[in-house]
Amino acid sequence: MALFDDPFDARRRLRRGGCACGAHENQAAHDAAAAAEAPAEARAERLVEGAVMRALFPRDATRRAFLAAVGAGAAAAALREVLPIGFATEAFAQAGAPERKDLKVGFIPITCATPIIMAAPMGFYAKQGLAVEVVKTAGWAVIRDKTLNKEYDAAHMLAPMPIAISLGIGSTPQPYTMPAVENVNGQAITLSVKHKDRRDPKSWKGFRLAVPFDYSMHNYLLRYCLAEHGIDPDTDVQIRAVPPPEMVANLRAENIDGFLAPDPVNQRAVYDGVGFIHLLSKEIWDRHPCCAFAASQAFATETPNTYAALLRAIIEATAYASKPENRKEIAAQIAPANYLNQPVTVVEQVLTGTFADGLGSVRRVPDRIDFDAFPWHSFAVWILTQMKRWGQVKGDLDYRAVAEKVYRATDAAKLMAQAGLNPPAATSKTFAVMGRTFDPDRPKEYLDSFAIRRAS
């Protein structure tokens, strides 16, 4: 059932392709058009009614059978008699009115930004009453600086970046929030085709390797993988920061031997015949965070309704992207030049997980990239251990306090519940990275367990 459909119409059903009326490319576009045409009060009432009916009838077939039996009028009257729909509608409308509607959100042209990008052409921002311009940006330092200078209201960032900005690592300290993870997995180690016979990382001494940014999961996962194989990432190899759009060209020119990069960079290297996929990042840490939606603390506090509306759009887009059946549709929407500027085939291979690996095989890994918005505090604690491990953070560190301040799990949980999703009850969890279990309550012991590190 679409967001703005009549929940008391027994003829309506939950649709997975096209839209409910058949006149729009997808359901998000249908909802955006409905939002534009309907009066604000009617939209708010329909949203509340829809949320209540979805809660009462999780199975759409049951709802439709009930309405067919008792009639739409009787069902609506009964609902309004039992529940204060009018009061809830008024509260929803007051809470949901954005202080600002015209916004700029920066992004780097990689598939990690899928929810942020697709929310524009597919109507998720418009559904929240926002006019968002998503702006393609050259590199992560530019993204950071434009958000610090308030040229962007919010941005697609690497998951460690809001932590680094908040702590003043690499920039002037400014409180930042990260209320949503954009994607999990979605990275890979890709090597030049000339290294097809050098698959053991122990043989990589002297390699020149690239990552997108110093404060990135790519940097930390590459360093982790190298160190677990006995390679010191600071003395045995060279690791340099290269913007993702420039990585394939540098591989082709033999300026680098490989990279740990976000997609579709890895798949484009295969497509162009200059590289092969050595290892998916999910094989290092399955369902690790990669990129995020982030904004300054000032933006969140000075325009709370705008912040909430923007976050709702991102959360709903992320949920839509998490469904495998939607991936080809999304690939077609985000591949064009103003977004990823990639062949649709390349983007589809990444999003669907059926891809050529550059070694002569076609692999099928449905969760090569996946989308899960919840910003676990334990993700932030792990990132902080790696920042400290490699000397980016000095001195004592209150891991949990930083994690809770920057990774806004409470904000995400609240808005996920409003969207009819099921946020986790906890905000931290254990996980394993290359077989080594991480306990977020024992970060110092974890850090001290590494033989190769710059700090303790």
Side-chain angles (χ1 to χ4, degrees):
M1 184 170 59
L3 195 59
F4 293 99
D5 281 346
D6 183 356
F8 300 107
D9 187 344
R11 296 168 298 177
R12 294 286 188 188
R13 68 178 65 204
L14 182 65
R15 299 189 183 246
R16 298 192 178 276
C19 76
C21 71
H24 302 92
E25 185 175 6
N26 52 57
Q27 192 57 53
H30 170 98
D31 290 339
E37 294 171 4
E41 184 177 348
R43 294 201 306 268
E45 184 170 344
R46 183 66 74 219
L47 282 166
V48 172
E49 290 175 340
V52 172
M53 290 297 280
R54 278 191 291 270
L56 290 174
F57 300 100
R59 292 175 57 86
D60 198 58
T62 305
R63 177 189 65 86
R64 294 170 61 217
F66 171 75
L67 292 173
V70 305
L79 185 65
R80 289 182 172 85
E81 184 175 340
V82 175
L83 297 170
I85 294 294
F87 176 80
T89 299
E90 183 179 353
F92 179 87
Q94 289 175 352
E99 299 87 354
R100 293 173 50 209
K101 295 184 178 180
D102 296 321
L103 303 171
K104 283 188 176 182
V105 177
F107 74 93
I108 302 292
I110 54 179
T111 50
C112 307
T114 291
I116 286 175
I117 298 171
M118 64 179 269
M122 298 180 71
F124 288 91
Y125 294 130
K127 188 189 304 182
Q128 300 299 330
L130 301 173
V132 176
E133 179 186 358
V134 289
V135 186
K136 187 191 293 189
T137 309
W140 297 110
V142 180
I143 283 273
R144 177 194 62 200
D145 294 345
K146 283 183 177 287
T147 53
L148 287 171
N149 296 334
K150 298 186 178 180
E151 293 178 58
Y152 294 162
D153 299 288
H156 160 216
M157 285 190 174
L158 298 158
M161 284 177 64
I163 298 173
I165 294 171
S166 296
L167 294 176
I169 304 170
S171 66
T172 302
Q174 183 171 321
Y176 255 65
T177 68
M178 201 205 87
V181 170
E182 285 300 287
N183 69 297
V184 296
N185 301 336
Q187 309 171 14
I189 296 176
T190 295
L191 298 179
S192 168
V193 289
K194 69 181 181 181
H195 294 312
K196 285 186 177 181
D197 295 327
R198 298 183 69 178
R199 302 296 304 280
D200 185 350
K202 291 176 180 159
S203 70
W204 294 358
K205 284 190 177 183
F207 270 24
R208 295 160 300 170
L209 301 168
V211 295
F213 201 55
D214 289 341
Y215 313 110
S216 68
M217 290 300 297
H218 314 81
N219 187 26
Y220 304 139
L221 291 177
L222 177 60
R223 286 172 169 271
Y224 196 108
C225 182
L226 291 169
E228 289 295 293
H229 286 91
I231 299 294
D232 190 314
D234 289 319
T235 60
D236 293 333
V237 298
Q238 295 179 38
I239 298 178
R240 62 184 68 170
V242 176
E246 299 174 17
M247 285 183 164
V248 174
N250 273 274
L251 192 67
R252 182 183 292 109
E254 299 189 357
N255 295 328
I256 54 177
D257 295 286
F259 45 70
L260 200 161
D263 277 311
V265 175
N266 306 285
Q267 203 59 49
R268 185 58 189 262
V270 173
Y271 183 83
D272 287 357
V274 298
F276 68 93
I277 296 173
H278 166 73
L279 188 73
L280 296 177
S281 59
K282 77 180 294 291
E283 298 172 71
I284 300 173
W285 169 9
D286 194 17
R287 301 196 72 76
H288 67 81
C290 178
C291 287
F293 167 73
S296 68
Q297 177 64 37
F299 176 75
T301 55
E302 292 169 9
T303 55
N305 293 344
T306 303
Y307 167 79
L310 193 54
L311 181 53
R312 273 196 297 272
I314 297 297
I315 286 174
E316 291 186 8
T318 303
Y320 191 84
S322 71
K323 298 177 180 178
E325 63 267 27
N326 296 332
R327 300 284 177 85
K328 286 191 175 184
E329 173 196 8
I330 293 169
Q333 292 287 337
I334 67 175
N338 56 324
Y339 298 131
L340 297 188
N341 193 27
Q342 295 287 341
V344 174
T345 299
V346 170
V347 183
E348 275 191 6
Q349 287 187 68
V350 173
L351 293 184
T352 64
T354 299
F355 60 94
D357 64 2
L359 294 168
S361 298
V362 173
R363 298 184 60 184
R364 289 173 176 79
V365 186
D367 59 348
R368 169 181 177 169
I369 186 171
D370 209 348
F371 302 93
D372 184 347
F374 195 73
W376 293 90
H377 289 149
S378 44
F379 287 171
V381 174
W382 185 89
I383 289 167
L384 286 164
T385 67
Q386 302 308 296
M387 287 181 164
K388 193 164 178 62
R389 178 183 184 182
W390 303 116
Q392 292 178 334
V393 176
K394 309 288 186 183
D396 294 335
L397 187 64
D398 189 335
Y399 293 92
R400 182 168 293 279
V402 174
E404 292 176 354
K405 185 176 181 181
V406 179
Y407 276 37
R408 297 302 185 91
T410 301
D411 291 354
K414 176 183 176 182
L415 294 175
M416 288 173 75
Q418 287 180 6
L421 305 173
N422 296 311
T427 61
S428 281
K429 62 179 178 179
T430 60
F431 45 78
V433 183
M434 292 187 73
R436 191 191 294 257
T437 299
F438 173 67
D439 181 348
D441 293 326
R442 302 166 66 93
K444 188 178 186 306
E445 290 90 334
Y446 183 73
L447 179 59
D448 290 343
S449 71
F450 297 110
I452 299 178
R453 63 182 188 272
R454 301 283 84 82
S456 60

